Amino acid sequence: MPNITVLPHAELCPEGAVIKARKGQTLCEALLAAHIEIEHACEHACACSTCHVIVREGFATLDEPDEAEEDMLDRAWGLEPCSRLACQAFVKGADLTIEIPRYSRNLAKERKA
Ligand code: FES
């Protein structure tokens, strides 16, 4: 089972964590299973960017993002070359290190505000 090292995030994971993931699981599923409550406003439908993560190590081991994911990523706060949507990135056999950005852009919440 690959390990996912989650770098510290002030609210979601203040100390950082190393969690186990199953091959074939999405990063989002693995985080939620480990009680790291990453936002996932569209429920994994590739229709928001709230599950944005930056893959600091192991990025090249993931499948390439498809066009729909690329389009959604363009709306993410703090986009980087190794950014992914956690609900669209499937864990392979390799260990990963990820960072959950400090902010997410939740258009649904912004509209209500
Ligand atoms: S939860 Fe909306 S794109 Fe991942």
Side-chain angles (χ1 to χ4, degrees), residues 44-113:
H44 318 258
C46 197
C48 73
S49 62
T50 60
C51 67
H52 171 214
V53 295
I54 300 163
V55 183
R56 295 288 179 209
E57 285 174 32
F59 180 78
T61 68
L62 301 172
D63 286 335
E64 300 252 324
D66 63 16
E67 212 176 307
E69 182 181 350
E70 297 270 16
D71 287 349
M72 277 301 143
L73 273 172
D74 283 342
R75 305 176 190 194
W77 182 90
L79 186 67
E80 294 201 19
C82 51
S83 288
R84 292 298 305 261
L85 294 179
C87 74
Q88 303 299 308
F90 290 88
V91 176
K92 304 287 185 173
D95 292 348
L96 300 166
T97 299
I98 65 165
E99 178 179 343
I100 302 171
R102 186 189 310 217
Y103 302 111
S104 70
R105 189 164 285 159
N106 186 331
L107 296 175
K109 266 193 201 163
E110 284 172 20
R111 277 194 203 110
K112 279 185 212 148

